[in-house]
Each structure stands twice: as C-alpha cells, then as structure tokens.
Amino acid sequence: MYPILPSLNALKVFDAAARLGSFKRAAEELFITPTAVSHQIKGLEESLGTTLFERKTRAVQLTIEGQMLAQTTSQIFQQLTETVSEITCSKKTLTVSTTSSFAAMWLVPHLENFYQKFPDIIVSVVTGEEVSDIERDRRIDVAIRYGKYDESTKNALHLVTETIGVYAAPSYLTQIRDISEAQLLETKWVNSSLPPLNWQTLLKRKLDGIRVRQFDQEHHVIQAALAGQGIALVSSLLVQNPLRNQWLVPFRGGSKLSGIEGFTYSALIPGRHSRNGNVLAFVTWLKEALRDSPYS
C-alpha cells in the first residue's frame, strides 16, 4: 500500500538519533549497538537518495532533509504512542526521574501506598540532579522537578511547595544550650540555578565562630542530623518519617520557618503521555499524597 516508505524500524532508529543528536545515545535508548544505528541510518539514506546527518568528530547534525524528516517522524511516533497508550494502557512500568533526596526521603517510603491502589503498575525510579529533556528522552515517563515553579512550563503540574524547618536528634539537643554551641547542617546545591537556602539566610547575619557543615544532597544533611552531628536546615516534607518516629525533633519548635521560603515540586509529563492512563494515575496519586502530607 505504501511501496515508497522505508522500513518502520529504520525510521524509529532515525527518530531516536535525531531527537538525541547522537548515534551512541540512540543506541542506548533502543538497546542496540552504535554500529547498528549507523548501519540503519546509512541504509535509510541510501533508500532516500540523500544525506540525513552530517557526521562530525564527536557529534552528528541533521541536514535540511534530515530536519524535514525528523519533524515528521517525531509527530507520527508521538501520535502513535499516544493512541496505543490510550487504547491499551499496556505500559505497566513507569520510569520516574527525580532528585536523589526526594526519592530517598519521600517517594520510595510512600510507594507502597501507590502499589496498594495500583498493583499492576511498577514504578522505576531514576535519580539525578541534571535536568533531562523528557520530550527527547523516551526512557523517562514522568519527571519530578524541584525549584522555582514556572507556570509557563509546558505540561508542568504544580504538586506542592515545601516549608523549611530546623531539626536535630533529641540526644544532640541535650548536649547544647544555645545555637552558637551547635554545628549547623545545610545543603549547598549541585544545581547552581537554585537560590541558596542556608543558615546565614535564616539568621540574617554572618556566622562568625559558628560551625557550619555543608552537603551537596539534602538527604545527606538529614542523615547527618540523624547521626547526631548537628542541627539540620531542611525541607519539612523530607523529614516526615524521622519526625513520625521521633528520630528527629524540631529545634525550638522550628518545624516551619516563616523567614525563609522553600521551593516547589512539580511533575512534567511528556506530550506523548498526555493521555496515558497509568501516567495520569501516578501523577494524580502523587499530588494527592503530597497534599495530604502533614509537613507540606
């Protein structure tokens, strides 16, 4: 019926390479070798009688003809994915990208509640501080982002804005009489675009003579506080479980601080999953669970 069309597999390989701008990354997404990607692209170029990529030393770049084809394949594969997902909801494993701290301190401890409601959906959690392009990287089904919320971000859903508190192990607080005697624990963000959230901002003064220890992950700050190493300035959302078990307690009632503003967690759903029932079920559960959290 369509005698002039190349093979669907070749177009799928081309689409991945065009989206990711790399034969190697396309191979990783498709679970094949870079050599196989190169062969498929070469065969596609021969069948079309044109060059689709300019090969450079460490990168590939689309030609004008390649850009034309990439625009079409992107639309077609996205529409196909949406339609198949809507009809079957057959994708039972959801890959969720989020920060290490949110995964360790909130998401993983709450997943059992999700599984009780949706036993047929498996959640695979991928952590990292880099911001992935979920429209291009088809391995990620949902991204949970942390930072200043931007209403203009496409396909973004506001989940919760955290509050900030100061916490320590009960045994640690018996050893100090004043904050000047304590070691203060805080996070120095790996993501340099985040505004600082630290003790100096909270106390509105220089910390001369006060010991401050920094970690690049918020859950490391919490672990240090659990080990009795100091007073942690952290998200009240992430210390729910330690507070519930009284492993940590608010320092002088500081479970929510009015003088320092926290950040927002939001969910990003790629366009290809805008009607995927399993993805929407997870995001709806996530928003409700965060809304009902006692320290959010």
Side-chain angles (χ1 to χ4, degrees), residues 7-46 52-53 55 59-62:
S7 74
L8 182 63
N9 190 53
L11 290 173
K12 183 179 179 182
V13 172
F14 167 79
D15 177 67
R19 279 187 293 105
L20 301 172
S22 165
F23 287 4
K24 180 180 179 181
R25 291 181 62 191
E28 292 172 352
E29 179 179 291
L30 299 172
F31 299 103
I32 58 178
T33 66
T35 301
V37 171
S38 182
H39 285 323
Q40 287 281 2
I41 299 297
K42 184 178 180 181
L44 180 61
E45 290 176 326
E46 290 176 350
L52 299 173
F53 288 96
R55 278 75 164 174
V60 292
Q61 184 174 347
L62 288 168

Side-chain angles (χ1 to χ4, degrees), residues 76-88:
I76 289 174
F77 281 117
Q78 180 167 320
Q79 291 173 1
L80 184 61
T81 299
E82 289 179 357
T83 301
V84 171
S85 296
E86 187 175 5
I87 293 172
T88 67

Side-chain angles (χ1 to χ4, degrees), residues 58-201:
R58 295 185 179 179
V60 292
Q61 184 174 347
L62 288 168
T63 62
I64 294 176
E65 292 80 5
Q67 292 174 13
M68 293 171 57
L69 183 60
Q71 183 176 5
T72 300
T73 58
S74 176
Q75 294 173 351
I76 289 174
F77 281 117
Q78 180 167 320
Q79 291 173 1
L80 184 61
T81 299
E82 289 179 357
T83 301
V84 171
S85 296
E86 187 175 5
I87 293 172
T88 67
C89 267
S90 59
K91 186 174 179 60
K92 297 299 184 182
T93 299
L94 298 182
T95 301
V96 179
S97 171
T98 186
T99 64
S100 302
S101 294
F102 184 76
M105 302 306 300
W106 194 94
L107 182 57
V108 172
H110 285 79
L111 272 182
E112 185 57 34
N113 175 267
F114 175 78
Y115 289 142
Q116 289 175 2
K117 296 180 179 180
F118 303 95
D120 295 330
I121 304 175
I122 303 300
V123 177
S124 174
V125 181
V126 177
T127 62
E129 311 311 312
E130 70 282 354
V131 178
S132 301
D133 186 343
I134 60 174
E135 295 294 345
R136 293 165 63 97
D137 191 344
R138 293 180 181 269
R139 294 170 297 181
I140 299 173
D141 300 310
V142 182
I144 302 172
R145 295 277 171 80
Y146 178 69
K148 293 290 185 180
Y149 182 64
D150 184 356
E151 293 183 353
S152 66
T153 302
K154 186 178 179 181
N155 297 328
L157 174 67
H158 179 280
L159 296 173
V160 67
T161 298
E162 67 184 358
T163 58
I164 303 300
V166 287
Y167 307 94
S171 58
Y172 183 80
L173 294 182
T174 63
Q175 304 172 28
I176 62 170
R177 294 168 297 179
D178 185 77
I179 195 171
S180 62
E181 300 176 355
Q183 176 162 264
L184 307 182
L185 310 172
E186 64 184 30
T187 308
K188 184 175 182 180
W189 305 120
V190 173
N191 184 352
S192 59
S193 67
L194 290 177
L197 195 161
N198 52 37
W199 280 97
Q200 183 169 314
T201 303

Side-chain angles (χ1 to χ4, degrees), residues 244-293:
R244 188 179 300 112
N245 290 281
Q246 296 186 327
W247 300 330
L248 293 178
V249 296
F251 174 65
R252 295 182 179 174
S255 60
K256 293 184 179 181
L257 302 177
S258 58
I260 189 166
E261 182 181 355
F263 299 118
T264 294
Y265 288 93
S266 58
L268 266 65
I269 304 174
R272 63 185 178 275
H273 289 325
S274 60
R275 294 183 293 179
N276 183 295
N278 293 330
V279 170
L280 297 178
F282 174 79
V283 172
T284 299
W285 166 82
L286 182 64
K287 185 173 178 62
E288 292 175 351
L290 285 166
R291 180 196 63 197
D292 296 338
S293 295

